[in-house]
Short mmCIF file of all heavy atoms in Angstrom, two decimals:
data_model
loop_
_atom_site.label_atom_id
_atom_site.label_comp_id
_atom_site.label_asym_id
_atom_site.label_seq_id
_atom_site.Cartn_x
_atom_site.Cartn_y
_atom_site.Cartn_z
N MET A 1 4.98 20.02 -1.25
CA MET A 1 4.38 19.37 -0.09
C MET A 1 3.84 18.01 -0.49
O MET A 1 3.34 17.83 -1.59
CB MET A 1 3.23 20.21 0.47
CG MET A 1 3.69 21.47 1.17
SD MET A 1 4.60 21.11 2.68
CE MET A 1 3.26 20.50 3.72
N SER A 2 3.93 17.09 0.41
CA SER A 2 3.31 15.79 0.15
C SER A 2 2.93 15.17 1.48
O SER A 2 3.39 15.59 2.54
CB SER A 2 4.25 14.87 -0.62
OG SER A 2 5.40 14.60 0.14
N ASP A 3 2.04 14.20 1.37
CA ASP A 3 1.55 13.50 2.54
C ASP A 3 2.03 12.06 2.49
O ASP A 3 1.99 11.43 1.44
CB ASP A 3 0.02 13.54 2.55
CG ASP A 3 -0.55 12.78 3.75
OD1 ASP A 3 -0.57 13.38 4.84
OD2 ASP A 3 -0.94 11.63 3.60
N THR A 4 2.51 11.56 3.62
CA THR A 4 2.95 10.18 3.69
C THR A 4 2.04 9.41 4.64
O THR A 4 1.82 9.84 5.77
CB THR A 4 4.40 10.10 4.21
OG1 THR A 4 5.24 10.82 3.31
CG2 THR A 4 4.88 8.66 4.28
N ALA A 5 1.50 8.31 4.16
CA ALA A 5 0.64 7.47 4.98
C ALA A 5 1.25 6.07 5.06
O ALA A 5 1.74 5.54 4.07
CB ALA A 5 -0.76 7.38 4.39
N THR A 6 1.22 5.51 6.26
CA THR A 6 1.81 4.19 6.48
C THR A 6 0.75 3.20 6.95
O THR A 6 -0.07 3.52 7.81
CB THR A 6 2.93 4.29 7.52
OG1 THR A 6 3.89 5.25 7.09
CG2 THR A 6 3.63 2.94 7.69
N PHE A 7 0.79 2.03 6.35
CA PHE A 7 -0.15 0.96 6.69
C PHE A 7 0.64 -0.33 6.85
O PHE A 7 1.83 -0.39 6.58
CB PHE A 7 -1.17 0.76 5.56
CG PHE A 7 -1.91 1.99 5.16
CD1 PHE A 7 -1.41 2.82 4.16
CD2 PHE A 7 -3.11 2.32 5.77
CE1 PHE A 7 -2.09 3.97 3.78
CE2 PHE A 7 -3.80 3.47 5.39
CZ PHE A 7 -3.29 4.30 4.39
N THR A 8 -0.07 -1.37 7.26
CA THR A 8 0.52 -2.70 7.30
C THR A 8 -0.32 -3.62 6.42
O THR A 8 -1.55 -3.56 6.45
CB THR A 8 0.56 -3.24 8.74
OG1 THR A 8 1.29 -2.33 9.54
CG2 THR A 8 1.23 -4.60 8.80
N VAL A 9 0.37 -4.44 5.63
CA VAL A 9 -0.30 -5.39 4.76
C VAL A 9 0.04 -6.80 5.23
O VAL A 9 1.22 -7.11 5.45
CB VAL A 9 0.16 -5.22 3.30
CG1 VAL A 9 -0.47 -6.29 2.40
CG2 VAL A 9 -0.19 -3.83 2.78
N SER A 10 -0.97 -7.64 5.38
CA SER A 10 -0.69 -9.03 5.73
C SER A 10 -0.99 -9.94 4.55
O SER A 10 -1.78 -9.60 3.67
CB SER A 10 -1.50 -9.46 6.95
OG SER A 10 -2.89 -9.45 6.65
N GLY A 11 -0.35 -11.08 4.54
CA GLY A 11 -0.60 -12.09 3.53
C GLY A 11 0.47 -12.18 2.46
O GLY A 11 0.45 -13.12 1.66
N MET A 12 1.41 -11.24 2.45
CA MET A 12 2.46 -11.27 1.42
C MET A 12 3.56 -12.25 1.84
O MET A 12 4.02 -12.23 2.98
CB MET A 12 3.08 -9.89 1.23
CG MET A 12 2.10 -8.82 0.81
SD MET A 12 2.94 -7.26 0.48
CE MET A 12 3.62 -6.90 2.09
N THR A 13 3.97 -13.07 0.89
CA THR A 13 5.01 -14.04 1.22
C THR A 13 6.19 -14.03 0.26
O THR A 13 7.16 -14.74 0.48
CB THR A 13 4.44 -15.47 1.29
OG1 THR A 13 3.79 -15.76 0.06
CG2 THR A 13 3.46 -15.61 2.43
N CYS A 14 6.10 -13.26 -0.81
CA CYS A 14 7.21 -13.27 -1.77
C CYS A 14 7.31 -11.94 -2.50
O CYS A 14 6.45 -11.07 -2.36
CB CYS A 14 7.07 -14.42 -2.77
SG CYS A 14 5.84 -14.10 -4.05
N GLY A 15 8.34 -11.79 -3.29
CA GLY A 15 8.55 -10.54 -4.02
C GLY A 15 7.47 -10.25 -5.04
O GLY A 15 7.21 -9.09 -5.35
N HIS A 16 6.83 -11.30 -5.54
CA HIS A 16 5.73 -11.07 -6.49
C HIS A 16 4.53 -10.49 -5.77
O HIS A 16 3.79 -9.68 -6.35
CB HIS A 16 5.35 -12.37 -7.20
CG HIS A 16 6.44 -12.91 -8.06
ND1 HIS A 16 7.12 -14.06 -7.76
CD2 HIS A 16 7.00 -12.43 -9.20
CE1 HIS A 16 8.03 -14.28 -8.69
NE2 HIS A 16 7.99 -13.29 -9.57
N CYS A 17 4.33 -10.91 -4.52
CA CYS A 17 3.27 -10.32 -3.72
C CYS A 17 3.51 -8.82 -3.57
O CYS A 17 2.59 -8.01 -3.73
CB CYS A 17 3.25 -10.93 -2.32
SG CYS A 17 3.05 -12.71 -2.22
N VAL A 18 4.73 -8.46 -3.24
CA VAL A 18 5.10 -7.05 -3.07
C VAL A 18 4.84 -6.27 -4.36
O VAL A 18 4.24 -5.18 -4.34
CB VAL A 18 6.59 -6.94 -2.67
CG1 VAL A 18 7.06 -5.49 -2.75
CG2 VAL A 18 6.80 -7.50 -1.27
N ALA A 19 5.23 -6.85 -5.48
CA ALA A 19 5.06 -6.16 -6.77
C ALA A 19 3.58 -5.96 -7.07
O ALA A 19 3.19 -4.92 -7.60
CB ALA A 19 5.73 -6.97 -7.88
N SER A 20 2.75 -6.94 -6.72
CA SER A 20 1.31 -6.83 -6.98
C SER A 20 0.70 -5.69 -6.17
O SER A 20 -0.10 -4.91 -6.68
CB SER A 20 0.60 -8.14 -6.62
OG SER A 20 1.04 -9.19 -7.45
N VAL A 21 1.08 -5.61 -4.90
CA VAL A 21 0.56 -4.54 -4.04
C VAL A 21 1.03 -3.18 -4.55
O VAL A 21 0.24 -2.23 -4.67
CB VAL A 21 0.99 -4.75 -2.57
CG1 VAL A 21 0.64 -3.53 -1.72
CG2 VAL A 21 0.32 -6.00 -2.00
N GLU A 22 2.31 -3.09 -4.87
CA GLU A 22 2.85 -1.81 -5.34
C GLU A 22 2.15 -1.37 -6.62
O GLU A 22 1.84 -0.19 -6.80
CB GLU A 22 4.36 -1.91 -5.56
CG GLU A 22 5.12 -2.01 -4.24
CD GLU A 22 6.62 -2.11 -4.42
OE1 GLU A 22 7.08 -2.51 -5.51
OE2 GLU A 22 7.33 -1.81 -3.45
N GLU A 23 1.89 -2.32 -7.51
CA GLU A 23 1.25 -1.98 -8.77
C GLU A 23 -0.16 -1.45 -8.54
O GLU A 23 -0.55 -0.41 -9.10
CB GLU A 23 1.22 -3.21 -9.68
CG GLU A 23 0.61 -2.93 -11.05
CD GLU A 23 0.66 -4.15 -11.96
OE1 GLU A 23 1.48 -5.05 -11.69
OE2 GLU A 23 -0.12 -4.20 -12.92
N GLU A 24 -0.94 -2.16 -7.73
CA GLU A 24 -2.33 -1.75 -7.50
C GLU A 24 -2.40 -0.40 -6.79
O GLU A 24 -3.19 0.47 -7.16
CB GLU A 24 -3.08 -2.81 -6.69
CG GLU A 24 -3.37 -4.08 -7.46
CD GLU A 24 -4.35 -3.89 -8.61
OE1 GLU A 24 -5.11 -2.90 -8.59
OE2 GLU A 24 -4.36 -4.74 -9.50
N VAL A 25 -1.59 -0.23 -5.76
CA VAL A 25 -1.66 1.02 -4.99
C VAL A 25 -1.16 2.19 -5.84
O VAL A 25 -1.67 3.31 -5.74
CB VAL A 25 -0.89 0.89 -3.67
CG1 VAL A 25 -0.87 2.22 -2.91
CG2 VAL A 25 -1.51 -0.20 -2.79
N SER A 26 -0.20 1.92 -6.71
CA SER A 26 0.33 2.97 -7.58
C SER A 26 -0.72 3.52 -8.54
O SER A 26 -0.60 4.64 -9.03
CB SER A 26 1.51 2.44 -8.40
OG SER A 26 2.60 2.16 -7.56
N GLU A 27 -1.77 2.72 -8.79
CA GLU A 27 -2.82 3.14 -9.73
C GLU A 27 -3.83 4.09 -9.10
O GLU A 27 -4.66 4.65 -9.80
CB GLU A 27 -3.53 1.91 -10.30
CG GLU A 27 -2.63 1.14 -11.26
CD GLU A 27 -3.25 -0.15 -11.77
OE1 GLU A 27 -4.42 -0.42 -11.43
OE2 GLU A 27 -2.56 -0.87 -12.51
N ILE A 28 -3.76 4.29 -7.78
CA ILE A 28 -4.65 5.26 -7.14
C ILE A 28 -4.26 6.65 -7.63
O ILE A 28 -3.09 7.03 -7.59
CB ILE A 28 -4.54 5.19 -5.60
CG1 ILE A 28 -4.98 3.81 -5.10
CG2 ILE A 28 -5.36 6.29 -4.95
CD1 ILE A 28 -4.67 3.57 -3.63
N PRO A 29 -5.28 7.43 -8.10
CA PRO A 29 -4.98 8.77 -8.63
C PRO A 29 -4.19 9.63 -7.64
O PRO A 29 -4.55 9.70 -6.46
CB PRO A 29 -6.36 9.36 -8.90
CG PRO A 29 -7.22 8.18 -9.17
CD PRO A 29 -6.70 7.09 -8.25
N GLY A 30 -3.14 10.25 -8.12
CA GLY A 30 -2.36 11.18 -7.31
C GLY A 30 -1.20 10.55 -6.57
O GLY A 30 -0.33 11.27 -6.07
N VAL A 31 -1.19 9.23 -6.48
CA VAL A 31 -0.12 8.59 -5.72
C VAL A 31 1.22 8.79 -6.42
O VAL A 31 1.36 8.56 -7.62
CB VAL A 31 -0.40 7.09 -5.52
CG1 VAL A 31 0.82 6.36 -5.00
CG2 VAL A 31 -1.57 6.91 -4.54
N GLN A 32 2.19 9.28 -5.66
CA GLN A 32 3.50 9.59 -6.22
C GLN A 32 4.49 8.46 -6.05
O GLN A 32 5.31 8.21 -6.91
CB GLN A 32 4.07 10.85 -5.55
CG GLN A 32 3.27 12.10 -5.87
CD GLN A 32 3.73 13.28 -5.05
OE1 GLN A 32 3.98 13.15 -3.85
NE2 GLN A 32 3.82 14.44 -5.68
N SER A 33 4.44 7.82 -4.90
CA SER A 33 5.33 6.69 -4.70
C SER A 33 4.73 5.70 -3.72
O SER A 33 3.93 6.07 -2.86
CB SER A 33 6.71 7.15 -4.24
OG SER A 33 6.68 7.51 -2.87
N VAL A 34 5.10 4.45 -3.90
CA VAL A 34 4.62 3.37 -3.05
C VAL A 34 5.82 2.51 -2.70
O VAL A 34 6.59 2.13 -3.57
CB VAL A 34 3.58 2.48 -3.79
CG1 VAL A 34 3.11 1.35 -2.89
CG2 VAL A 34 2.41 3.32 -4.27
N GLU A 35 5.96 2.24 -1.42
CA GLU A 35 7.02 1.32 -0.99
C GLU A 35 6.41 0.25 -0.12
O GLU A 35 5.64 0.54 0.79
CB GLU A 35 8.10 2.06 -0.19
CG GLU A 35 8.99 2.94 -1.04
CD GLU A 35 10.08 3.60 -0.19
OE1 GLU A 35 10.43 3.04 0.86
OE2 GLU A 35 10.53 4.68 -0.59
N VAL A 36 6.76 -0.99 -0.40
CA VAL A 36 6.28 -2.11 0.40
C VAL A 36 7.49 -2.89 0.89
O VAL A 36 8.38 -3.23 0.10
CB VAL A 36 5.36 -3.03 -0.42
CG1 VAL A 36 4.97 -4.25 0.40
CG2 VAL A 36 4.11 -2.28 -0.87
N ASP A 37 7.51 -3.18 2.18
CA ASP A 37 8.57 -4.02 2.74
C ASP A 37 7.99 -5.39 3.04
O ASP A 37 7.04 -5.51 3.82
CB ASP A 37 9.15 -3.40 4.01
CG ASP A 37 10.27 -4.26 4.60
OD1 ASP A 37 11.35 -4.27 3.99
OD2 ASP A 37 10.03 -4.92 5.62
N LEU A 38 8.54 -6.40 2.40
CA LEU A 38 7.99 -7.75 2.53
C LEU A 38 8.02 -8.26 3.96
O LEU A 38 7.04 -8.78 4.49
CB LEU A 38 8.77 -8.71 1.62
CG LEU A 38 8.38 -10.18 1.70
CD1 LEU A 38 6.92 -10.39 1.35
CD2 LEU A 38 9.29 -11.00 0.79
N GLU A 39 9.15 -8.10 4.61
CA GLU A 39 9.34 -8.71 5.93
C GLU A 39 8.42 -8.10 6.99
O GLU A 39 7.79 -8.82 7.77
CB GLU A 39 10.80 -8.57 6.37
CG GLU A 39 11.13 -9.41 7.59
CD GLU A 39 12.64 -9.49 7.82
OE1 GLU A 39 13.40 -9.15 6.91
OE2 GLU A 39 13.02 -9.88 8.92
N SER A 40 8.32 -6.77 6.97
CA SER A 40 7.50 -6.10 7.98
C SER A 40 6.05 -5.92 7.54
O SER A 40 5.18 -5.67 8.37
CB SER A 40 8.09 -4.72 8.29
OG SER A 40 7.98 -3.89 7.14
N GLY A 41 5.80 -6.01 6.23
CA GLY A 41 4.47 -5.74 5.71
C GLY A 41 4.15 -4.26 5.63
O GLY A 41 3.03 -3.86 5.34
N ARG A 42 5.17 -3.43 5.91
CA ARG A 42 4.95 -1.99 5.92
C ARG A 42 4.70 -1.45 4.51
O ARG A 42 5.46 -1.75 3.58
CB ARG A 42 6.18 -1.29 6.53
CG ARG A 42 6.07 0.21 6.74
CD ARG A 42 4.92 0.60 7.66
NE ARG A 42 4.87 -0.15 8.91
CZ ARG A 42 5.45 0.22 10.02
NH1 ARG A 42 6.13 1.33 10.08
NH2 ARG A 42 5.33 -0.51 11.11
N LEU A 43 3.62 -0.68 4.39
CA LEU A 43 3.25 -0.04 3.12
C LEU A 43 3.29 1.46 3.32
O LEU A 43 2.61 1.98 4.22
CB LEU A 43 1.84 -0.48 2.70
CG LEU A 43 1.12 0.33 1.63
CD1 LEU A 43 1.85 0.27 0.31
CD2 LEU A 43 -0.31 -0.16 1.48
N VAL A 44 4.09 2.14 2.55
CA VAL A 44 4.19 3.60 2.65
C VAL A 44 3.72 4.21 1.33
O VAL A 44 4.22 3.87 0.25
CB VAL A 44 5.64 4.03 2.94
CG1 VAL A 44 5.72 5.56 3.04
CG2 VAL A 44 6.14 3.40 4.24
N VAL A 45 2.73 5.09 1.45
CA VAL A 45 2.12 5.73 0.27
C VAL A 45 2.35 7.23 0.36
O VAL A 45 2.01 7.86 1.36
CB VAL A 45 0.60 5.46 0.22
CG1 VAL A 45 -0.01 6.09 -1.02
CG2 VAL A 45 0.31 3.95 0.27
N VAL A 46 2.94 7.79 -0.69
CA VAL A 46 3.19 9.23 -0.74
C VAL A 46 2.35 9.84 -1.85
O VAL A 46 2.32 9.34 -2.98
CB VAL A 46 4.68 9.53 -0.98
CG1 VAL A 46 4.93 11.04 -1.03
CG2 VAL A 46 5.54 8.89 0.11
N ALA A 47 1.64 10.93 -1.51
CA ALA A 47 0.80 11.63 -2.48
C ALA A 47 0.77 13.11 -2.09
O ALA A 47 1.12 13.48 -0.98
CB ALA A 47 -0.61 11.04 -2.48
N PRO A 48 0.35 13.98 -3.02
CA PRO A 48 0.32 15.42 -2.72
C PRO A 48 -0.64 15.75 -1.60
O PRO A 48 -0.45 16.73 -0.87
CB PRO A 48 -0.15 16.05 -4.03
CG PRO A 48 0.10 15.04 -5.08
CD PRO A 48 -0.03 13.70 -4.40
N HIS A 49 -1.72 14.97 -1.50
CA HIS A 49 -2.72 15.17 -0.45
C HIS A 49 -3.01 13.82 0.16
O HIS A 49 -2.79 12.79 -0.47
CB HIS A 49 -4.00 15.77 -1.05
CG HIS A 49 -3.76 17.07 -1.75
ND1 HIS A 49 -3.48 18.24 -1.09
CD2 HIS A 49 -3.69 17.37 -3.06
CE1 HIS A 49 -3.28 19.21 -1.96
NE2 HIS A 49 -3.41 18.70 -3.18
N PRO A 50 -3.54 13.79 1.37
CA PRO A 50 -3.82 12.50 2.00
C PRO A 50 -4.70 11.62 1.12
O PRO A 50 -5.71 12.07 0.58
CB PRO A 50 -4.56 12.90 3.28
CG PRO A 50 -4.02 14.26 3.59
CD PRO A 50 -3.83 14.93 2.25
N VAL A 51 -4.30 10.38 0.97
CA VAL A 51 -5.05 9.42 0.17
C VAL A 51 -6.11 8.78 1.05
O VAL A 51 -5.86 8.44 2.21
CB VAL A 51 -4.10 8.33 -0.38
CG1 VAL A 51 -4.87 7.23 -1.08
CG2 VAL A 51 -3.10 8.96 -1.33
N ASP A 52 -7.32 8.64 0.49
CA ASP A 52 -8.41 7.99 1.21
C ASP A 52 -8.01 6.55 1.55
O ASP A 52 -7.75 5.75 0.65
CB ASP A 52 -9.65 8.00 0.31
CG ASP A 52 -10.87 7.40 0.98
OD1 ASP A 52 -10.74 6.84 2.09
OD2 ASP A 52 -11.96 7.51 0.39
N PRO A 53 -7.96 6.22 2.84
CA PRO A 53 -7.56 4.86 3.21
C PRO A 53 -8.45 3.79 2.59
O PRO A 53 -8.00 2.67 2.35
CB PRO A 53 -7.70 4.86 4.73
CG PRO A 53 -7.55 6.29 5.12
CD PRO A 53 -8.17 7.09 4.00
N ALA A 54 -9.70 4.16 2.29
CA ALA A 54 -10.60 3.18 1.66
C ALA A 54 -10.09 2.79 0.27
O ALA A 54 -10.27 1.65 -0.17
CB ALA A 54 -12.02 3.74 1.57
N LEU A 55 -9.46 3.75 -0.41
CA LEU A 55 -8.91 3.45 -1.73
C LEU A 55 -7.69 2.54 -1.61
O LEU A 55 -7.47 1.66 -2.44
CB LEU A 55 -8.52 4.75 -2.45
CG LEU A 55 -9.66 5.67 -2.85
CD1 LEU A 55 -9.12 6.94 -3.51
CD2 LEU A 55 -10.64 4.96 -3.77
N VAL A 56 -6.90 2.78 -0.58
CA VAL A 56 -5.73 1.93 -0.35
C VAL A 56 -6.19 0.51 0.00
O VAL A 56 -5.67 -0.48 -0.52
CB VAL A 56 -4.83 2.50 0.76
CG1 VAL A 56 -3.62 1.60 0.99
CG2 VAL A 56 -4.39 3.92 0.41
N ARG A 57 -7.22 0.45 0.84
CA ARG A 57 -7.75 -0.85 1.21
C ARG A 57 -8.27 -1.61 -0.01
O ARG A 57 -8.00 -2.81 -0.20
CB ARG A 57 -8.88 -0.69 2.23
CG ARG A 57 -9.45 -2.02 2.72
CD ARG A 57 -10.51 -1.79 3.80
NE ARG A 57 -9.99 -1.04 4.93
CZ ARG A 57 -9.29 -1.58 5.93
NH1 ARG A 57 -9.03 -2.87 5.93
NH2 ARG A 57 -8.84 -0.83 6.90
N ALA A 58 -9.00 -0.89 -0.87
CA ALA A 58 -9.55 -1.53 -2.07
C ALA A 58 -8.43 -2.02 -2.99
O ALA A 58 -8.53 -3.11 -3.58
CB ALA A 58 -10.45 -0.55 -2.81
N ALA A 59 -7.37 -1.24 -3.11
CA ALA A 59 -6.25 -1.63 -3.98
C ALA A 59 -5.54 -2.86 -3.44
O ALA A 59 -5.18 -3.77 -4.19
CB ALA A 59 -5.27 -0.46 -4.11
N VAL A 60 -5.35 -2.89 -2.14
CA VAL A 60 -4.67 -4.04 -1.52
C VAL A 60 -5.56 -5.28 -1.63
O VAL A 60 -5.07 -6.39 -1.93
CB VAL A 60 -4.29 -3.74 -0.06
CG1 VAL A 60 -3.80 -4.99 0.66
CG2 VAL A 60 -3.22 -2.66 -0.03
N ASP A 61 -6.87 -5.09 -1.44
CA ASP A 61 -7.82 -6.20 -1.63
C ASP A 61 -7.71 -6.73 -3.06
O ASP A 61 -7.68 -7.94 -3.29
CB ASP A 61 -9.26 -5.72 -1.40
CG ASP A 61 -9.62 -5.62 0.07
OD1 ASP A 61 -8.85 -6.10 0.92
OD2 ASP A 61 -10.69 -5.05 0.36
N GLU A 62 -7.67 -5.80 -4.00
CA GLU A 62 -7.62 -6.18 -5.41
C GLU A 62 -6.37 -7.02 -5.70
O GLU A 62 -6.40 -7.95 -6.51
CB GLU A 62 -7.62 -4.91 -6.28
CG GLU A 62 -7.67 -5.16 -7.76
CD GLU A 62 -8.99 -5.78 -8.23
OE1 GLU A 62 -10.01 -5.64 -7.53
OE2 GLU A 62 -8.98 -6.41 -9.29
N ALA A 63 -5.29 -6.69 -5.03
CA ALA A 63 -4.04 -7.43 -5.21
C ALA A 63 -4.11 -8.80 -4.52
O ALA A 63 -3.29 -9.68 -4.81
CB ALA A 63 -2.86 -6.63 -4.68
N GLY A 64 -5.06 -8.96 -3.61
CA GLY A 64 -5.25 -10.25 -2.97
C GLY A 64 -4.72 -10.32 -1.54
O GLY A 64 -4.58 -11.42 -0.99
N TYR A 65 -4.49 -9.15 -0.92
CA TYR A 65 -3.93 -9.12 0.43
C TYR A 65 -4.83 -8.29 1.34
O TYR A 65 -5.85 -7.77 0.91
CB TYR A 65 -2.48 -8.62 0.39
CG TYR A 65 -1.69 -9.44 -0.59
CD1 TYR A 65 -1.49 -8.99 -1.89
CD2 TYR A 65 -1.25 -10.72 -0.25
CE1 TYR A 65 -0.83 -9.78 -2.83
CE2 TYR A 65 -0.59 -11.51 -1.18
CZ TYR A 65 -0.39 -11.03 -2.46
OH TYR A 65 0.24 -11.84 -3.39
N THR A 66 -4.42 -8.14 2.58
CA THR A 66 -5.27 -7.49 3.57
C THR A 66 -4.56 -6.28 4.18
O THR A 66 -3.41 -6.39 4.62
CB THR A 66 -5.64 -8.48 4.70
OG1 THR A 66 -6.29 -9.61 4.10
CG2 THR A 66 -6.59 -7.84 5.70
N LEU A 67 -5.26 -5.15 4.20
CA LEU A 67 -4.70 -3.92 4.76
C LEU A 67 -5.07 -3.76 6.23
O LEU A 67 -6.20 -4.00 6.63
CB LEU A 67 -5.23 -2.71 3.98
CG LEU A 67 -4.59 -1.38 4.36
CD1 LEU A 67 -3.21 -1.28 3.76
CD2 LEU A 67 -5.46 -0.22 3.91
N HIS A 68 -4.11 -3.31 7.00
CA HIS A 68 -4.34 -2.96 8.40
C HIS A 68 -3.80 -1.56 8.63
O HIS A 68 -2.91 -1.11 7.91
CB HIS A 68 -3.59 -3.93 9.34
CG HIS A 68 -3.90 -5.36 9.05
ND1 HIS A 68 -4.92 -6.03 9.65
CD2 HIS A 68 -3.32 -6.24 8.20
CE1 HIS A 68 -4.96 -7.28 9.19
NE2 HIS A 68 -4.00 -7.44 8.31
N ASP A 69 -4.32 -0.89 9.65
CA ASP A 69 -3.73 0.39 10.02
C ASP A 69 -2.31 0.14 10.51
O ASP A 69 -2.01 -0.91 11.04
CB ASP A 69 -4.54 1.05 11.13
CG ASP A 69 -5.91 1.49 10.64
OD1 ASP A 69 -6.04 1.77 9.43
OD2 ASP A 69 -6.84 1.52 11.45
N ALA A 70 -1.47 1.14 10.34
CA ALA A 70 -0.10 1.02 10.83
C ALA A 70 -0.12 0.89 12.35
O ALA A 70 -0.97 1.45 13.02
CB ALA A 70 0.71 2.24 10.42
N GLU A 71 0.82 0.15 12.86
CA GLU A 71 0.87 -0.05 14.30
C GLU A 71 1.78 0.98 14.95
O GLU A 71 2.61 1.55 14.29
CB GLU A 71 1.37 -1.45 14.61
CG GLU A 71 0.42 -2.50 14.02
CD GLU A 71 0.89 -3.91 14.34
OE1 GLU A 71 1.82 -4.07 15.15
OE2 GLU A 71 0.31 -4.83 13.77
MO1 9UX B 1 3.41 -16.36 -5.21
MO2 9UX B 1 3.66 -14.25 -3.39
O1 9UX B 1 1.65 -16.98 -5.27
O2 9UX B 1 1.96 -14.78 -2.93
S1 9UX B 1 2.89 -14.08 -5.48
S2 9UX B 1 3.93 -16.38 -2.90
#
């Protein structure tokens, strides 16, 4: 079993931005996979249990971008 959470990230403009977000979010304990789509800003986080959105927000902040709830 796993939980998938989807968010939107704003401020990314290049592949390095995407890599930074993926790296930071991947460091959240328990996270199994992270996918970021540059064009849409879609961030998909998969973990065994729901990840605290505050942790995702902090990780995205750390990378230098802004997290929004998925639309
Ligand atoms: Mo380069 Mo992407 O500064 O922000 S990593 S455009």
Side-chain angles (χ1 to χ4, degrees):
M1 288 293 289
S2 63
D3 179 80
T4 300
T6 303
F7 306 90
T8 302
V9 176
S10 66
M12 301 185 297
T13 55
C14 77
H16 296 111
C17 302
V18 169
S20 296
V21 171
E22 289 180 339
E23 182 177 339
E24 289 293 339
V25 176
S26 293
E27 289 175 3
I28 297 170
V31 168
Q32 294 172 317
S33 76
V34 179
E35 286 183 26
V36 175
D37 180 72
L38 176 59
E39 192 168 345
S40 66
R42 185 59 49 91
L43 164 63
V44 180
V45 182
V46 180
H49 302 288
V51 173
D52 183 352
L55 293 178
V56 180
R57 183 177 302 278
V60 171
D61 281 349
E62 184 67 22
Y65 306 97
T66 303
L67 187 76
H68 307 270
D69 292 332
E71 299 181 10

